[in-house]
Amino acid sequence: LVLVDADASYPEGPLWQAGKLYYVEYGRNTIKDWDGKRVSVFWRGEHCGPSGLIGFGEGHMLLACYDSNTLVELDEQGRQVRVIQADSAGKPFIGPNDFASDGAGGLYITASGVYDIKAPITGTVLHLSADGNTLVEVADKIHFSNGLVLSRDGKTLLVAEMLAARMLSFPVNADGSLGPRSVWARLQDLAPPTPNVDAYNGPDGVRLGSDGNYYIAQNGSGRILVASKDAKLVRTI
């Protein structure tokens, strides 16, 4: 276990690309990179509120700017290529948060909506085509959609519904659209919440490990839940 950055300010969205580790700092509006020896600032954008990062196309990256409600495409040098403010139907999105590959060059993107357990449910999932020209909403009415990940066989998309404290499952159609949702797991069924935690103790980020298990970050409890593909708890970290 290696300490990369002892002074990271709300780090999220780790990405390994071109021999470097990239991650965002929500607290400083930056992307940093680590080459195995030193940490450097790769990009800075005021008022962005970066929350997610993923490789896209030939060496480019797509950045989720949660505070400014935009997606920013960057080239290999960290130069801004374009800014996306709405989907292809002209509908703006609220709180773009995280990304997952669709396995065919395109991306699934969460737009979380309002972070308020009493507010109307406005979280969505969007799909960006591999050529980057089409961005469509493929799921809505998710109570703060956060992390998401495609299953190993590419047939299922898991989405963290943070304010409902559960993981949703969507079948993936051939055109990238999503079928009807179901509840894949409630976090309280995977593991009891730790005492005296933040009220919003739902799932945050999620990744599929090389071992075939899902690694679900549980923000309020300060732990990672490791779950098998059939939604059984393997261990906690």
Side-chain angles (χ1 to χ4, degrees):
L1 187 63
V2 177
L3 177 61
V4 172
D5 186 350
D7 186 44
S9 181
Y10 209 124
E12 287 201 277
L15 168 67
W16 183 261
Q17 184 162 296
K20 291 184 178 181
L21 173 69
Y22 295 86
Y23 55 97
V24 305
E25 283 188 306
Y26 178 84
R28 292 194 180 107
N29 289 302
T30 62
I31 300 173
K32 284 184 173 178
D33 64 49
W34 178 64
D35 63 4
K37 295 181 179 179
R38 67 171 65 91
V39 171
S40 304
V41 174
F42 176 73
W43 176 90
R44 178 178 283 108
E46 295 305 317
H47 313 298
C48 165
S51 62
L53 188 66
I54 196 169
F56 185 65
E58 295 296 324
H60 285 200
M61 301 176 187
L62 205 62
L63 170 68
C65 286
Y66 180 86
D67 289 351
S68 63
N69 297 315
T70 59
L71 301 171
V72 178
E73 185 175 350
L74 304 170
D75 68 11
E76 299 91 331
Q77 284 74 46
R79 295 175 298 208
Q80 183 174 297
V81 175
R82 61 171 173 158
V83 177
I84 305 172
Q85 298 178 306
D87 65 20
S88 294
K91 179 183 176 181
F93 33 79
I94 302 171
N97 193 318
D98 206 356
F99 302 98
S101 169
D102 69 356
L107 300 175
Y108 290 106
I109 306 163
T110 49
S112 297
V114 180
Y115 189 78
D116 186 340
I117 202 165
K118 297 179 181 179
I121 299 173
T122 54
T124 63
V125 177
L126 303 150
H127 181 256
L128 180 66
S129 60
D131 61 12
N133 293 328
T134 305
L135 181 63
V136 296
E137 185 178 293
V138 290
D140 63 0
K141 295 180 180 170
I142 302 172
H143 210 173
F144 203 85
S145 48
N146 203 318
L148 68 172
V149 66
L150 192 68
S151 63
R152 181 167 286 178
D153 62 9
K155 296 180 179 180
T156 304
L157 185 73
L158 296 187
V159 179
E161 190 175 27
M162 188 174 186
L163 294 184
R166 61 189 186 180
M167 298 294 301
L168 300 178
S169 172
F170 294 86
V172 176
N173 299 320
D175 61 356
S177 62
L178 302 179
R181 75 195 69 191
S182 60
V183 176
W184 186 77
R186 293 176 174 84
L187 263 60
Q188 66 182 18
D189 296 333
L190 286 176
T194 52
N196 304 316
V197 300
D198 185 277
Y200 301 147
N201 196 32
D204 197 310
V206 57
R207 290 292 182 267
L208 177 62
S210 58
D211 57 4
N213 294 321
Y214 293 99
Y215 288 70
I216 304 165
Q218 191 175 19
N219 188 309
S221 286
R223 64 188 179 187
I224 297 168
L225 305 179
V226 184
S228 64
K229 63 181 181 180
D230 55 353
K232 304 296 183 183
L233 184 70
V234 176
R235 62 190 174 110
T236 61
I237 302 172

